[in-house]
Amino acid sequence: MVRGIHHLGIAVNSIEDALSVYRDALGFEVEHSEQMDDRGLKLAMLRAGDGEVELLEPTDPASTVGRFVQKRGEGIHHVALQVKNIDKVLGDLKETGIRLIDEEARPGAGGTRVAFLHPKTAHGVLIELVEE
Ligand code: CO
């Protein structure tokens, strides 16, 4: 069902500041940057080898990531898992009683289709499914 870990989402106060660590010190390369006004955030996808991290900077303090940073500070926000057919996976998960934040896939970073599972259902971890 899951093909692997797609990326780790990391909430930061400033992508620019975080790049000095993730890009300049650790050697991740920026693959893609984007502003998502509907989610109140800016993001940067960074890659090193097979590993990807997604830096998330809130542009709206009332957004999900904005509230996360205010409440818990910077840190790992979600784990994204790669799936092949997100519609089928969502249907199967619903049948097994898994709590979903998104019943239907929606547009994610870089033109992908994504959906979030409720953290309560995944032992405290916010899980994002990415179709790719
Ligand atoms: Co993500």
Side-chain angles (χ1 to χ4, degrees), residues 7 54 78 80 128:
H7 65 264
E54 178 183 58
H78 64 269
E128 174 183 18

Side-chain angles (χ1 to χ4, degrees), residues 11 13 16 26 34 45 48 51 59 65 70 74 91 97-98 107 120:
N13 289 318
E16 207 46 53
L26 293 173
E34 188 172 343
M45 288 293 288
T59 53
V65 175
Q70 281 169 55
E74 296 181 300
I98 298 287
K120 285 238 160 73

Side-chain angles (χ1 to χ4, degrees), residues 5 14 17 46 50 62-63 69-70 73 75 90 98 109 111 120 123 129:
I5 292 179
S14 159
D17 287 351
L46 281 63
D50 290 335
S63 65
V69 170
Q70 281 169 55
L90 285 172
I98 298 287
K120 285 238 160 73
H123 299 257
L129 303 176

Side-chain angles (χ1 to χ4, degrees), residues 3 12 24 32 41-42 46 49 51 53 57 59 62 68 71 82-83 87 89 91 96 101 118 120 123 126 131-132:
R3 309 176 85 196
V12 300
D24 303 342
H32 171 79
L41 60 84
K42 287 197 290 193
L46 281 63
V53 296
E57 174 189 325
T59 53
F68 178 93
K71 201 169 147 195
Q82 185 180 347
V83 298
D87 300 317
V89 172
T96 53
I101 291 176
H118 199 284
K120 285 238 160 73
H123 299 257
L126 176 60
E131 183 174 78
E132 196 171 286

Side-chain angles (χ1 to χ4, degrees), residues 6-9 39 43 45 54 56 77-80 109 114 116 128 130:
H6 188 275
H7 65 264
L8 291 179
R39 287 176 64 194
L43 67 84
M45 288 293 288
E54 178 183 58
L56 305 161
H77 175 262
H78 64 269
V79 175
V114 306
F116 285 88
E128 174 183 18
V130 181

